Amino acid sequence: MTVCSVMTDEYVFPVPKGSYELLFEAILIEPGEDDDPSNGLFPVRYELTFINAENPYPRILKADKELIPPQEFLMHAEPAI
């Protein structure tokens, strides 16, 4: 798996073939002295945890009131490469 953005380097992590549930967390971190909260951007750390699962089940564990999820989640994907 490759993780990157236009603002960072590219990081490659090996993930064995299989079925997984993916836990995605966006964690706010303390702003540094160079951060300007008035621009609406906050320092965030992202964590991705892959959990082996024979029958992955999609769900949202925590959300704010602005999130409006679909009735059903798409559970089909193709590899990017």
Side-chain angles (χ1 to χ4, degrees), residues 2 5 7 9 28 34-35 37-38 41 52 57 65-66 80:
T2 303
S5 78
M7 308 277 292
D9 293 331
L28 288 174
D34 294 334
D35 294 318
S38 67
L41 300 176
N52 275 324
Y57 177 75
K65 61 184 176 192
E66 295 177 12

Side-chain angles (χ1 to χ4, degrees), residues 10-67:
E10 181 177 283
Y11 300 94
V12 177
F13 301 94
V15 177
K17 287 184 180 182
S19 293
Y20 296 91
E21 288 186 354
L22 173 64
L23 177 60
F24 168 82
E25 296 177 88
I27 302 164
L28 288 174
I29 54 178
E30 287 294 319
E33 55 187 55
D34 294 334
D35 294 318
D36 178 9
S38 67
N39 66 12
L41 300 176
F42 302 94
V44 177
R45 180 181 80 233
Y46 299 104
E47 292 186 6
L48 301 172
T49 305
F50 290 83
I51 304 160
N52 275 324
E54 284 187 32
N55 298 305
Y57 177 75
R59 58 197 174 276
I60 297 173
L61 302 178
K62 185 176 181 181
D64 60 23
K65 61 184 176 192
E66 295 177 12
L67 181 67

